[in-house]
Amino acid sequence: MRRSKRAALAPAAARHEAPLAREPITPMDLHVQPGGARLGEMLVAANLTTNERVVSALGTMSTSGMSLGTQLIADGSISERDLAETLARQQNLAVVDLRQIIPDPAAAALMTERMARALGAIPLSADQDTVVVAVADPSPAILKSLQEVIGRPLTVNVATQSDITMAIGNSFRALASVNSQVEAFQTRDSLHKAEIAPAPTVVSENAPVVQVVQLMITQGLRDRASDIHIEPQGDRIRVRYRVDGALHEVLDLPGTMGPAIVSRIKIMGGMNIVERRRPQDGQISLEIEGRAVDIRVATTSVVSGEKVVLRLLDKSRPIFRLGQLGMATDVAKQYSALLHSPYGMVICSGPTGSGKTTTLYGSLSEINTPERNIMTIEDPVEYMIPSINQIQINVQAGITFAGGLKSILRQDPDVILVGEIRDAETARIAVQSALTGHFVLSSLHATDAVSALHRLLDMGIESFLVASSITAVMSQRLLRKVCDNCQEKYEPPPPEMALLHAMGGHVPEGGFVRGAGCNFCTQTGYLERIGVYEMMPVSDGIRELILDRASHEDVRKQARSEGMRTLQEESMSLVESGVTNLTEVLRTVYVTGT
């Protein structure tokens, strides 16, 4: 059944229930909030951490500037949920799960976004008697500030900092102020056309078009968008975000703003604002809400003007380890063993946006040791990894994949990562590197594992070189996960059931599930993604087929006879476990047969 989205406060934590704060807090009551037992002592007593870790965190606090709880979370000693539950018990408050409760807009409006972020708090509901507030740190100083800001009696609950941050981002949409900026732009534009005011030669940071671009990027980052599409369509500009692999329309702007928006983005990306016919590429580095963001810009001329795509890379996002990617346990174990080979080549294949780069970085983290000289050549360098030598492609400076790879071979490398094999020259050098005692990791655009081998052959690489150099091919896709916060049962339509039967899948024990749509998944029913993997080790049998230039189907049958599970089979296992659903499998995984 669909869970209620109203702010009916549930009791609290799963492990440690805290009594509800039934009486509202008034200004005279603020001093009554007792400190109780010390936080560190309570965490140790609950077996959530050790005394040694608490002492270590206390010693680090003076230099980090963090509170004890935040320092313990940063050290990996406790989770955010552990801290919230312990603070609630310490202060005799309730814990609220903001993943299941949506703040009432009228209540949220009692605070500004800036103040909500500064205090780490969000109003959930309000009536004549009290305002219910969720706060990450229920210290007397924070509660006093909240009381001064809201000016009404409070009922305080505790939530995790990440949940509060997400709730603030969902309640205070950056795009909410776009309309006022559009009106200001149109007013200024009409004045320029009437020659009442001269057009400015230097664009101010407060100019409407500058603010609109900034708001689009800010909201895209909050919504976890990987790409922002800005598309001219006659008398309007359509703005879409790609979230978890699917595009969603978020904004309509007047067509007159199109050229100004494109020019602003080109200036930010160091591109030529005069050239409007040829495609251009650029790069932008920003800090938004305390997070470092790199943005790849690509423009192209279409019938109605210039289309721009911004690819957002949030550098504050951690690098995933192999165990966090969604690989089946046996696949992850086999893949990890292959990564420790002294030489050979492992290829990650899939279409754009299938998570190949994430898998490659996770692979490097697995084998990054002081004994190895690891070098990469990438376009762009998405994450800076300590102790790894990374080269950025720069065509204008003459640094290409092929040229950079040649220079890497003179640097005594043990492991080489080639961001992407795009041409025959790069493919040939990579293959020869694997044959001369180096371990090579690379990505390649292909629909499945077998197709990746045939792409190398189609590039003109001799079959005996492909057969001798390739150790394994990992093909992958990313499937959206059903949102846990609004999960409900449903009956799949006939096309989806036909897919289930064709793939040999089974009906899940608890029935089929989908997301009804809520504030945390931006009404899509999906939240985050998980990888599905098709790993094909290149065995002696497959090498013989490659030498004979056997068909795609023959190689596929040989790989399956040796135990390879296809993308479709792996997807069905995720459906059966309720992680995703048939709708998403049908949308994402290209069915080539079983």
Side-chain angles (χ1 to χ4, degrees):
M1 296 296 294
R2 185 174 179 177
R3 298 173 181 173
S4 173
K5 298 195 292 182
R6 302 307 306 162
L9 295 181
R15 285 202 302 270
H16 308 295
E17 287 196 7
L20 286 171
R22 294 183 176 85
E23 295 298 326
I25 297 172
T26 65
M28 296 298 295
D29 295 328
L30 285 173
H31 71 279
V32 180
Q33 294 300 315
R38 292 184 178 182
L39 177 62
E41 293 173 352
M42 294 183 68
L43 290 169
V44 173
N47 293 320
L48 296 174
T49 187
T50 64
N51 189 63
E52 291 75 15
R53 289 188 173 184
V54 171
V55 172
S56 175
L58 287 169
T60 310
M61 285 168 52
S62 59
T63 55
S64 67
M66 298 180 183
S67 65
L68 175 60
T70 307
Q71 185 64 56
L72 287 169
I73 292 173
D75 295 342
S77 302
I78 61 172
S79 69
E80 280 192 298
R81 191 69 50 186
D82 292 335
L83 177 62
E85 292 169 0
T86 307
L87 286 172
R89 286 190 293 115
Q90 184 192 44
Q91 303 290 352
N92 197 30
L93 299 173
V95 176
V96 64
D97 189 350
L98 294 185
R99 294 170 298 182
Q100 301 178 24
I101 295 173
I102 296 176
D104 181 66
L110 294 173
M111 295 178 68
T112 64
E113 178 183 1
R114 181 178 179 183
M115 188 58 67
R117 292 187 183 278
L119 296 177
I122 180 77
L124 302 179
S125 63
D127 55 31
Q128 293 180 348
D129 300 323
T130 183
V131 176
V132 180
V133 180
V135 62
D137 177 11
S139 66
I142 294 293
L143 297 183
K144 184 177 181 180
S145 297
L146 272 173
Q147 181 66 58
E148 292 173 351
V149 169
I150 295 178
R152 293 168 59 180
L154 304 178
T155 297
V156 178
N157 292 269
V158 182
T160 66
Q161 181 63 59
S162 60
D163 283 0
I164 287 177
T165 301
M166 180 176 288
I168 292 172
N170 290 331
S171 299
F172 300 95
R173 299 283 292 177
L175 296 179
S177 60
V178 162
N179 288 339
S180 62
Q181 299 295 338
V182 170
E183 291 174 3
F185 173 85
Q186 291 177 321
T187 300
R188 185 177 297 186
D189 190 49
S190 62
L191 291 175
H192 295 160
K193 288 180 179 178
E195 296 184 349
I196 296 175
T201 55
V202 178
V203 179
S204 165
E205 289 298 316
N206 295 320
V209 69
V210 173
Q211 290 298 310
V212 168
V213 171
Q214 184 73 15
L215 292 171
M216 282 194 297
I217 296 173
T218 300
Q219 191 62 58
L221 193 63
R222 290 183 186 177
D223 289 350
R224 303 177 295 105
S226 60
D227 302 86
I228 300 176
H229 291 240
I230 303 168
E231 305 163 318
Q233 297 190 330
D235 59 352
R236 73 173 187 138
I237 303 295
R238 180 174 68 171
V239 180
R240 295 190 290 174
Y241 291 165
R242 186 178 295 279
V243 181
D244 291 335
L247 281 168
H248 306 280
E249 188 168 336
V250 295
L251 189 63
D252 254 359
L253 297 172
T256 53
M257 287 194 78
I261 288 175
V262 173
S263 294
R264 170 59 184 168
I265 293 172
K266 284 181 176 179
I267 290 171
M268 296 172 69
M271 302 155 71
N272 184 354
I273 65 171
V274 177
E275 179 57 69
R276 297 179 179 271
R277 295 170 298 177
R278 296 180 182 177
Q280 294 188 62
D281 295 319
Q283 190 159 347
I284 303 170
S285 293
L286 294 174
E287 184 170 310
I288 297 177
E289 296 180 344
R291 295 149 72 180
V293 185
D294 273 357
I295 304 172
R296 271 193 288 175
V297 185
T299 68
T300 191
S301 178
V302 295
V303 172
S304 300
E306 278 188 283
K307 174 181 175 177
V308 181
V309 176
L310 307 176
R311 170 152 288 188
L312 308 182
L313 176 65
D314 181 2
K315 289 202 164 186
S316 66
R317 189 180 64 183
I319 297 174
F320 291 102
R321 308 284 297 186
L322 288 180
Q324 300 172 302
L325 298 178
M327 290 184 191
T329 304
D330 57 333
V331 173
K333 185 176 180 180
Q334 189 179 16
Y335 182 69
S336 179
L338 287 168
L339 291 178
H340 289 85
S341 301
Y343 57 87
M345 186 172 180
V346 173
I347 294 175
C348 290
S349 70
T352 301
S354 60
K356 300 186 296 297
T357 301
T358 301
T359 300
L360 289 175
Y361 277 118
S363 303
L364 287 184
S365 298
E366 183 83 7
I367 58 178
N368 184 16
T369 63
E371 294 79 23
R372 287 188 174 94
N373 176 23
I374 302 178
M375 299 197 68
T376 76
I377 181 160
E378 309 166 62
D379 184 24
V381 174
E382 296 193 5
Y383 294 99
M384 297 295 295
I385 306 178
S387 75
I388 290 181
N389 305 289
Q390 297 169 275
I391 299 174
Q392 167 76 53
I393 291 295
N394 188 334
V395 177
Q396 293 179 342
I399 304 174
T400 63
F401 274 111
L405 192 49
K406 289 178 181 177
S407 69
I408 285 177
L409 292 174
R410 295 190 288 270
Q411 293 291 319
D412 186 31
D414 297 301
V415 178
I416 302 171
L417 184 145
V418 182
E420 183 183 340
I421 293 178
R422 297 177 179 173
D423 52 58
E425 185 181 5
T426 304
R428 186 172 297 279
I429 299 171
V431 165
Q432 290 173 347
S433 301
L435 289 173
T436 54
H438 303 93
F439 183 70
V440 181
L441 283 163
S442 185
S443 69
L444 186 67
H445 285 243
T447 55
D448 58 18
V450 178
S451 298
L453 295 177
H454 281 83
R455 274 216 66 196
L456 291 174
L457 295 173
D458 291 341
M459 286 182 180
I461 309 301
E462 292 81 356
S463 58
F464 70 89
L465 291 177
V466 175
S468 304
S469 61
I470 309 301
T471 306
V473 181
M474 177 76 82
S475 182
Q476 64 183 87
R477 296 291 190 279
L478 291 175
L479 294 178
R480 292 183 293 175
K481 298 163 64 176
V482 173
C483 178
D484 289 334
N485 306 306
C486 57
Q487 192 177 102
E488 65 177 11
K489 289 185 172 61
Y490 82 111
E491 191 62 35
E496 294 182 10
M497 291 303 297
L499 171 68
L500 180 74
H501 297 314
M503 295 295 100
H506 305 284
V507 176
E509 290 185 7
F512 294 98
V513 295
R514 67 182 176 188
C518 67
N519 209 28
F520 279 82
C521 61
T522 58
Q523 307 302 324
T524 63
Y526 300 97
L527 186 63
E528 303 291 351
R529 290 187 288 178
I530 189 170
V532 283
Y533 298 89
E534 175 183 281
M535 193 177 77
M536 184 183 73
V538 179
S539 63
D540 291 339
I542 292 177
R543 285 192 177 94
E544 291 179 7
L545 292 174
I546 295 172
L547 290 171
D548 295 338
R549 299 188 74 91
S551 68
H552 179 284
E553 190 58 32
D554 288 342
V555 178
R556 184 180 175 84
K557 286 180 180 178
Q558 177 66 28
R560 296 200 64 194
S561 69
E562 295 175 359
M564 181 187 81
R565 295 196 299 273
T566 65
L567 290 168
Q568 293 78 32
E569 291 167 336
E570 290 292 297
S571 300
M572 285 301 110
S573 68
L574 293 178
V575 171
E576 292 168 11
S577 61
V579 174
T580 189
N581 54 28
L582 292 168
T583 305
E584 179 64 5
V585 174
L586 198 59
R587 183 189 76 89
T588 305
V589 179
Y590 180 68
V591 180
T592 57
T594 59

